[in-house]
């Protein structure tokens, strides 16, 4: 008996509202079967020499490059990412995978901490895979956020049940297809297709870990669902990332850079700039230059090479952004542009800038995840710092000033996993990506983001 009423997932193009495809979802029986297959196949995968797993993932990376254009077009069609940005995502994923391929052997090599020949005693740490893990993923950067998990997890010897977002399901299926073509053995990487209900069903099985990327609200549900199995839980969640612009910056370069940080990917980045605080000495100049940049953003058909802002991937988010605008205006904010959906098919929300905002307003407190930003004037660094920290989230925060001492003094006090000096909306494979507070627990990327898919085994070896 299936638990899912609607056995098909309807994939809609958010730029037109047209149905792209109907694809079958996984029911309870299919999910149980995939879990069993993964459990059966995982020990052999883990027992293979690391060099073999590396070679297979290298093949996958090659296939990703071979199919880059069609994958980018598919991503644009199903989630509305402007085509140039879709190509950039697919292209950059290859270099991230390259980082993992270069690092994994050294990071997971057995370490000898003590070798005492007199006592005949050795102490070592080996890194064993967790086993079978669920990777429940978001739609906004499906190649990035997916591969940050499934590539190191596979290299470390785990089997992965990959549940792509229902808003990036075609991409998820294509990734699974390329894994098979690359030689990943049956059962080791399987896409599990469907809505959140399918993700919830997956977590009724006793797995060895769940690695989740998505919202705080769903992250809490994931942690609760995982608790009875005591599986490892890692949550990469949302943010309300602040930027402070001090009075000593070059406004002409900083304002456009911060606007890009707020509006790239139509504002749908976990590390998008979500709040801007500007020193009151340059507030007006900053807002003028910022507005000039925003007015130049081309919005529309995401398949057009010149489009910078596309539709929202989730139609329902349009109403939430509208609510944030109305709430802000009712509490005294001034709307400088946008503020409403575009009267055309698809889920387009006009790039929106609000000034005279404060922390009583949802737009300065709740993750917007769209092309909308509030800019607030502050009198000094202390006020900026206090407002930046007035949030339960802790993903990223940035300070713009030529004065490194001033910036780092502020950034040291901020409780977030990532801090930026004179940059924003940036992720590096070499650095750990982690959130604090409502932005999550655990991390991906860097060498730590390889080890996280393993469990250490302590060896006490005494010669007999
Ligand atoms: P979401 O929480 O709505 O969904 C994420 C995934 O969880 C989807 O695959 C969904 O089907 C699944 N899901 C939903 N309910 C579930 C349940 N009860 N049990 C199991 N799975 C369930 O988030 P979204 O809309 O896909 O993504 C947007 C959010 O993700 C934003 O908050 C964004 O900031 C965050 N995000 C964070 C990072 C990061 O690295 N920190 C990266 C990308 C996105």
């Amino acid at each position: 008996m299936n638990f899912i009423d609607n056995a098909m997932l309807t994939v809609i193009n958010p730029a037109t509202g047209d149905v792209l495809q109907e694809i079958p979802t996984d029911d309870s029986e299919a999910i149980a079967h995939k879990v069993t297959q993964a459990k059966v196949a995982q020990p052999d995968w883990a027992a293979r020499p690391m060099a073999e797993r590396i070679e297979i993932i290298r093949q996958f990376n090659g296939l990703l490059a071979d199919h880059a254009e069609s994958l980018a077009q598919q991503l644009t069609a199903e989630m509305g990412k402007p085509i140039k940005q879709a190509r950039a995502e697919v292209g950059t994923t290859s270099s991230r995978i390259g980082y993992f391929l270069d690092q994994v052997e050294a990071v997971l090599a057995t370490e000898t901490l003590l070798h005492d020949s007199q006592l005949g005693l050795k102490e070592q740490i080996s890194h064993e895979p967790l086993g079978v893990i669920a990777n429940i993923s978001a739609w906004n950067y499906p190649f990035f956020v997916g591969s940050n998990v499934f590539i190191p997890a596979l290299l470390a010897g785990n089997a992965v049940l990959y549940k792509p977002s229902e808003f990036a399901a075609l991409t998820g299926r294509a990734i699974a297809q390329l894994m098979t073509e690359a030689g990943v053995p049956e059962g080791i990487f399987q896409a599990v297709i469907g809505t959140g209900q399918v993700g919830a069903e997956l977590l009724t099985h006793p797995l060895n870990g769940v690695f989740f990327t998505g919202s705080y609200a769903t992250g809490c549900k994931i942690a609760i669902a995982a608790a009875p199995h005591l599986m490892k839980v890692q949550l990469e969640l949302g943010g309300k990332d602040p930027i402070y612009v001090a009075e000593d910056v070059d406004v002409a370069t900083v304002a456009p850079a911060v606007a890009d940080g707020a509006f790239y990917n139509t504002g749908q980045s976990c590390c998008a700039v979500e709040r801007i605080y500007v020193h009151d000495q340059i507030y007006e100049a900053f807002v003028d230059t910022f507005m000039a940049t925003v007015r130049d953003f081309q919005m529309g058909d995401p398949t057009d090479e010149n489009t910078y802002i596309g539709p929202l991937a989730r139609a329902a988010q349009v109403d939430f952004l509208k609510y944030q605008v109305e709430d802000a205006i009712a509490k005294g904010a001034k709307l400088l542009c946008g503020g409403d959906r575009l009267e055309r098919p698809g889920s387009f929300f006009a790039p929106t800038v609000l000034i005279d905002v404060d922390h009583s307003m949802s737009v300065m407190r709740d993750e917007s995840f769209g092309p909308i930003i509030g800019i607030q004037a502050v009198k000094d660094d202390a006020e900026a710092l206090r407002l930046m920290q007035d949030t339960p989230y802790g993903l990223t925060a940035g300070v713009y000033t030529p004065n490194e001492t001033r910036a780092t003094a502020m950034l040291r006090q901020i409780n977030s996993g990532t801090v930026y000096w004179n940059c924003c909306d940036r992720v590096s494979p070499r650095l750990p990506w982690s959130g604090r507070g409502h932005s999550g627990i655990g991390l991906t990327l860097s060498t730590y983001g390889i080890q996280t898919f393993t469990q250490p085994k302590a060896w006490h070896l005494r010669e007999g």
Side-chain angles (χ1 to χ4, degrees), residues 15-339:
T16 60
D18 295 340
V19 173
L20 280 174
Q21 260 189 63
E22 298 235 311
I23 59 173
T25 61
D26 283 293
D27 60 21
S28 313
E29 218 175 286
I31 293 168
H33 181 66
K34 287 183 176 179
V35 171
T36 304
Q37 271 193 308
K39 286 189 173 172
V40 169
Q42 190 268 332
D44 282 351
W45 176 244
R48 284 194 181 202
M50 172 68 83
E52 284 185 24
R53 295 200 296 271
I54 288 179
E55 189 44 40
I56 290 174
I57 296 301
R58 213 183 286 290
Q59 292 290 331
F60 170 77
N61 211 15
L63 289 169
L64 208 57
D66 293 347
H67 296 272
E69 183 57 25
S70 60
L71 291 169
Q73 295 209 13
Q74 180 172 257
L75 181 56
T76 294
E78 74 173 329
M79 66 124 322
K81 191 185 292 269
I83 185 65
K84 263 195 186 161
Q85 298 174 18
R87 286 189 187 121
E89 182 183 346
V90 179
T92 312
T93 300
S94 280
S95 55
R96 284 206 191 171
I97 294 175
Y99 170 82
F100 290 129
L101 290 169
D102 290 346
Q103 297 291 325
V104 66
E105 214 149 8
V107 172
L108 298 188
T110 296
E111 300 157 60
T112 301
L113 288 311
L114 175 80
H115 192 175
D116 188 324
S117 41
Q118 268 186 336
L119 291 175
L121 182 67
K122 246 200 295 195
E123 292 177 359
Q124 292 186 318
I125 303 172
S126 66
H127 302 280
E128 299 185 346
L130 297 170
V132 176
I133 64 153
N135 174 195
I136 300 181
S137 207
W139 47 265
N140 60 331
Y141 286 96
F143 288 98
F144 281 165
V145 297
S147 64
N148 291 351
V149 172
F150 59 65
I151 295 293
L154 290 172
L155 287 170
N158 298 282
V160 177
L161 293 158
Y162 174 54
K163 194 337 231 141
S165 165
E166 53 274 43
F167 298 101
L170 299 179
T171 295
R173 290 206 317 181
I175 288 171
Q177 176 65 32
L178 294 183
M179 286 286 183
T180 304
E181 275 178 43
V184 173
E186 201 181 342
I188 292 300
F189 184 92
Q190 300 173 83
V192 179
I193 300 295
T195 61
Q197 205 185 352
V198 166
E201 172 72 13
L202 182 57
L203 296 184
T204 62
H205 294 273
L207 307 174
N208 304 110
V210 54
F211 292 76
F212 171 76
T213 309
S215 60
Y216 165 73
T218 310
C220 293
K221 292 183 194 162
I222 299 279
I224 290 166
H229 306 303
L230 294 181
M231 63 173 97
K232 177 165 182 170
V233 176
Q234 189 163 296
L235 308 171
E236 300 209 347
L237 309 178
K240 192 70 191 167
D241 297 0
I243 285 292
Y244 169 49
V245 184
E247 78 294 343
D248 51 0
V249 302
D250 174 27
V251 168
T253 50
V254 170
V258 175
D260 183 52
F263 289 95
Y264 191 82
N265 202 30
T266 313
Q268 303 168 118
S269 305
C270 54
C271 52
V273 175
E274 287 254 342
R275 303 178 275 152
I276 305 173
Y277 304 100
V278 182
H279 197 289
D280 56 16
Q281 281 176 27
I282 56 155
Y283 183 69
E284 274 179 32
F286 179 89
V287 169
D288 286 350
T289 313
F290 191 90
M291 282 303 297
T293 306
V294 173
R295 283 199 194 94
D296 275 353
F297 287 152
Q298 185 168 319
M299 179 174 211
D301 177 0
T303 65
D304 182 331
E305 301 281 334
N306 297 315
T307 293
Y308 177 80
I309 296 189
L312 292 167
R314 298 167 298 176
Q317 195 69 359
V318 169
D319 289 339
F320 179 67
L321 298 187
K322 181 82 181 133
Y323 154 73
Q324 286 199 319
V325 171
E326 285 168 359
D327 169 70
I329 291 172
K331 290 172 180 161
K334 187 168 165 202
L335 179 68
L336 292 191
C337 66

